[in-house]
Amino acid sequence: MIENLKRDFKILQKDEKFKLWKDKNDESYLCSAFLMDEDNKGNWQIDYFNPSSWDITSFLIREKEVKINNPEKIFQKEKEKVKELFIEKVKVSYEKVNEKMKELLKEKYPYENPNKKIFVLQVIDETVWNITFINSSFNILNVKISAENGKVLYENLSPVFSFKTNEK
């Protein structure tokens, strides 16, 4: 799948619509790649951040055709510049990360059954795979794995819903 991302990234860079967009948005840069996994049949979404307008434009590649989504403003509690993603720094493939997630589920979370799997390749403190599994138990498992060495940097299982009781 990382080969698919690299292939799609090359397709994007050669696409005329993208080149026109990039000419008008020359300070924009690659910031993330997103995949909603559906049995390895998902398609990559490639995102570019524009630091002047503070928005992200997403590109979808479907069978060598590029679709450009309208830019969307990003919202953060504290404005922090989105870091640039360099594909060549990715040493750990999607396949290896997906296998690591299967092992983690089996060892630590055997009762969790993922309905949706979301993989985001981005830079936080380093280049990471930021993985979110939405489980049938209404729990969300979030794991961050280094895309450079495969080390699990963070993991958290939490309920989708948190209920508060308001006592009077």
Side-chain angles (χ1 to χ4, degrees):
M1 236 355 139
I2 195 70
E3 288 73 29
N4 291 353
L5 173 59
K6 289 179 180 180
R7 180 203 62 220
D8 288 355
F9 187 63
K10 285 179 185 173
I11 290 169
L12 178 64
Q13 291 177 315
K14 291 178 183 176
D15 183 79
E16 287 305 315
K17 290 182 287 189
F18 174 76
K19 288 178 183 178
L20 288 170
W21 176 87
K22 188 67 171 129
D23 285 343
K24 293 177 186 172
N25 297 275
D26 64 332
E27 62 184 11
S28 294
Y29 54 82
L30 178 66
C31 67
S32 65
F34 170 91
L35 175 70
M36 178 96 55
D37 182 58
E38 295 175 17
D39 299 323
N40 292 337
K41 295 178 185 168
N43 293 293
W44 288 100
Q45 172 182 301
I46 299 171
D47 300 327
Y48 275 73
F49 174 69
N50 185 322
S52 292
S53 59
W54 211 258
D55 59 32
I56 290 180
T57 302
S58 299
F59 301 87
L60 302 167
I61 292 84
R62 303 286 188 267
E63 297 179 21
K64 297 187 180 183
E65 176 143 349
V66 174
K67 179 183 180 233
I68 303 173
N69 290 337
N70 290 327
E72 292 188 21
K73 294 282 181 204
I74 61 170
F75 299 98
Q76 299 172 320
K77 287 181 183 177
E78 297 176 29
K79 257 189 168 178
E80 188 176 314
K81 188 175 175 184
V82 176
K83 296 179 177 135
E84 187 169 3
L85 173 64
F86 296 95
I87 299 283
E88 60 274 6
K89 286 190 174 185
V90 179
K91 305 296 183 216
V92 180
S93 70
Y94 160 84
E95 290 80 8
K96 287 185 181 174
V97 168
N98 198 22
E99 278 304 311
K100 190 172 277 241
M101 289 300 295
K102 287 177 186 175
E103 291 169 15
L104 187 66
L105 278 173
K106 188 177 177 182
E107 291 172 17
K108 290 187 166 183
Y109 308 102
Y111 301 107
E112 296 300 328
N113 183 24
N115 287 334
K116 289 283 183 197
K117 299 176 182 179
I118 303 165
F119 293 80
V120 180
L121 187 57
Q122 66 185 132
V123 179
I124 298 177
D125 292 323
E126 64 179 87
T127 304
V128 297
W129 288 100
N130 188 352
I131 304 127
T132 302
F133 283 7
I134 302 170
N135 302 299
S136 56
S137 63
F138 294 107
N139 286 326
I140 294 176
L141 177 62
N142 180 244
V143 179
K144 292 175 181 62
I145 298 174
S146 170
E148 296 174 33
N149 62 29
K151 181 181 175 188
V152 174
L153 305 171
Y154 171 86
E155 70 180 80
N156 181 51
L157 181 70
S158 59
V160 171
F161 303 105
S162 297
F163 296 100
K164 278 188 189 179
T165 58
N166 292 328
E167 294 183 29
K168 294 182 179 181

